PDB file of all heavy atoms in Angstrom:
ATOM      1  N   GLY B 196     133.837 134.536  72.638  1.00 94.00           N
ATOM      2  CA  GLY B 196     133.195 135.840  72.519  1.00 94.00           C
ATOM      3  C   GLY B 196     131.679 135.841  72.567  1.00 94.00           C
ATOM      4  O   GLY B 196     131.050 136.889  72.559  1.00 94.00           O
ATOM      5  N   LEU B 197     131.041 134.648  72.638  1.00 95.00           N
ATOM      6  CA  LEU B 197     129.547 134.633  72.722  1.00 95.00           C
ATOM      7  C   LEU B 197     129.049 135.047  74.114  1.00 95.00           C
ATOM      8  O   LEU B 197     129.709 134.749  75.147  1.00 95.00           O
ATOM      9  CB  LEU B 197     129.068 133.220  72.370  1.00 95.00           C
ATOM     10  CG  LEU B 197     128.799 132.938  70.944  1.00 95.00           C
ATOM     11  CD1 LEU B 197     130.110 132.792  70.178  1.00 95.00           C
ATOM     12  CD2 LEU B 197     127.956 131.698  70.788  1.00 95.00           C
ATOM     13  N   THR B 198     127.955 135.743  74.120  1.00 97.00           N
ATOM     14  CA  THR B 198     127.297 136.095  75.384  1.00 97.00           C
ATOM     15  C   THR B 198     126.320 134.938  75.684  1.00 97.00           C
ATOM     16  O   THR B 198     125.511 134.551  74.867  1.00 97.00           O
ATOM     17  CB  THR B 198     126.501 137.401  75.228  1.00 97.00           C
ATOM     18  OG1 THR B 198     127.412 138.370  74.732  1.00 97.00           O
ATOM     19  CG2 THR B 198     125.890 137.835  76.562  1.00 97.00           C
ATOM     20  N   ILE B 199     126.422 134.341  76.900  1.00 97.00           N
ATOM     21  CA  ILE B 199     125.671 133.186  77.204  1.00 97.00           C
ATOM     22  C   ILE B 199     124.941 133.330  78.549  1.00 97.00           C
ATOM     23  O   ILE B 199     125.540 133.735  79.542  1.00 97.00           O
ATOM     24  CB  ILE B 199     126.563 131.917  77.248  1.00 97.00           C
ATOM     25  CG1 ILE B 199     127.255 131.775  75.855  1.00 97.00           C
ATOM     26  CG2 ILE B 199     125.775 130.695  77.544  1.00 97.00           C
ATOM     27  CD1 ILE B 199     128.230 130.647  75.769  1.00 97.00           C
ATOM     28  N   LEU B 200     123.623 133.013  78.543  1.00 97.00           N
ATOM     29  CA  LEU B 200     122.865 132.953  79.792  1.00 97.00           C
ATOM     30  C   LEU B 200     122.306 131.588  80.029  1.00 97.00           C
ATOM     31  O   LEU B 200     121.677 130.984  79.153  1.00 97.00           O
ATOM     32  CB  LEU B 200     121.695 133.957  79.747  1.00 97.00           C
ATOM     33  CG  LEU B 200     122.080 135.433  79.844  1.00 97.00           C
ATOM     34  CD1 LEU B 200     122.245 136.035  78.470  1.00 97.00           C
ATOM     35  CD2 LEU B 200     121.007 136.218  80.647  1.00 97.00           C
ATOM     36  N   ILE B 201     122.603 131.002  81.214  1.00 95.00           N
ATOM     37  CA  ILE B 201     122.155 129.627  81.477  1.00 95.00           C
ATOM     38  C   ILE B 201     121.313 129.569  82.757  1.00 95.00           C
ATOM     39  O   ILE B 201     121.725 130.011  83.801  1.00 95.00           O
ATOM     40  CB  ILE B 201     123.409 128.741  81.697  1.00 95.00           C
ATOM     41  CG1 ILE B 201     124.356 128.795  80.453  1.00 95.00           C
ATOM     42  CG2 ILE B 201     122.989 127.310  81.952  1.00 95.00           C
ATOM     43  CD1 ILE B 201     125.640 128.149  80.633  1.00 95.00           C
ATOM     44  N   VAL B 202     120.092 129.038  82.634  1.00 94.00           N
ATOM     45  CA  VAL B 202     119.257 128.772  83.782  1.00 94.00           C
ATOM     46  C   VAL B 202     119.672 127.462  84.350  1.00 94.00           C
ATOM     47  O   VAL B 202     119.847 126.490  83.619  1.00 94.00           O
ATOM     48  CB  VAL B 202     117.756 128.758  83.432  1.00 94.00           C
ATOM     49  CG1 VAL B 202     116.935 128.146  84.560  1.00 94.00           C
ATOM     50  CG2 VAL B 202     117.285 130.113  83.057  1.00 94.00           C
ATOM     51  N   THR B 203     119.905 127.407  85.652  1.00 90.00           N
ATOM     52  CA  THR B 203     120.336 126.122  86.243  1.00 90.00           C
ATOM     53  C   THR B 203     119.898 125.966  87.710  1.00 90.00           C
ATOM     54  O   THR B 203     119.748 126.945  88.415  1.00 90.00           O
ATOM     55  CB  THR B 203     121.864 125.950  86.156  1.00 90.00           C
ATOM     56  OG1 THR B 203     122.216 124.734  86.690  1.00 90.00           O
ATOM     57  CG2 THR B 203     122.610 127.089  86.801  1.00 90.00           C
ATOM     58  N   HIS B 204     119.704 124.728  88.098  1.00 85.00           N
ATOM     59  CA  HIS B 204     119.393 124.430  89.486  1.00 85.00           C
ATOM     60  C   HIS B 204     120.712 124.136  90.278  1.00 85.00           C
ATOM     61  O   HIS B 204     120.731 124.222  91.479  1.00 85.00           O
ATOM     62  CB  HIS B 204     118.491 123.187  89.585  1.00 85.00           C
ATOM     63  CG  HIS B 204     117.073 123.482  89.652  1.00 85.00           C
ATOM     64  ND1 HIS B 204     116.169 123.115  88.661  1.00 85.00           N
ATOM     65  CD2 HIS B 204     116.353 124.067  90.627  1.00 85.00           C
ATOM     66  CE1 HIS B 204     114.975 123.483  89.025  1.00 85.00           C
ATOM     67  NE2 HIS B 204     115.049 124.099  90.207  1.00 85.00           N
ATOM     68  N   ASN B 205     121.658 123.731  89.476  1.00 87.00           N
ATOM     69  CA  ASN B 205     122.862 123.089  90.087  1.00 87.00           C
ATOM     70  C   ASN B 205     123.918 124.135  90.436  1.00 87.00           C
ATOM     71  O   ASN B 205     124.549 124.739  89.551  1.00 87.00           O
ATOM     72  CB  ASN B 205     123.417 122.106  89.085  1.00 87.00           C
ATOM     73  CG  ASN B 205     124.523 121.254  89.650  1.00 87.00           C
ATOM     74  OD1 ASN B 205     124.980 121.549  90.736  1.00 87.00           O
ATOM     75  ND2 ASN B 205     124.984 120.274  88.900  1.00 87.00           N
ATOM     76  N   PRO B 206     124.198 124.349  91.731  1.00 89.00           N
ATOM     77  CA  PRO B 206     125.183 125.375  92.127  1.00 89.00           C
ATOM     78  C   PRO B 206     126.574 125.041  91.602  1.00 89.00           C
ATOM     79  O   PRO B 206     127.364 125.930  91.381  1.00 89.00           O
ATOM     80  CB  PRO B 206     125.159 125.298  93.663  1.00 89.00           C
ATOM     81  CG  PRO B 206     123.872 124.587  94.033  1.00 89.00           C
ATOM     82  CD  PRO B 206     123.564 123.668  92.866  1.00 89.00           C
ATOM     83  N   GLU B 207     126.794 123.741  91.388  1.00 88.00           N
ATOM     84  CA  GLU B 207     128.118 123.298  90.815  1.00 88.00           C
ATOM     85  C   GLU B 207     128.421 124.030  89.525  1.00 88.00           C
ATOM     86  O   GLU B 207     129.578 124.361  89.214  1.00 88.00           O
ATOM     87  CB  GLU B 207     128.089 121.796  90.556  1.00 88.00           C
ATOM     88  CG  GLU B 207     128.131 120.960  91.792  1.00 88.00           C
ATOM     89  CD  GLU B 207     129.565 120.985  92.448  1.00 88.00           C
ATOM     90  OE1 GLU B 207     130.512 120.662  91.664  1.00 88.00           O
ATOM     91  OE2 GLU B 207     129.684 121.389  93.604  1.00 88.00           O
TER      92      GLU B 207
END
Side-chain angles (χ1 to χ4, degrees):
Chain B
L197 271 73
T198 307
I199 301 177
L200 288 93
I201 303 170
V202 167
T203 180
H204 265 114
N205 188 352
E207 287 287 303

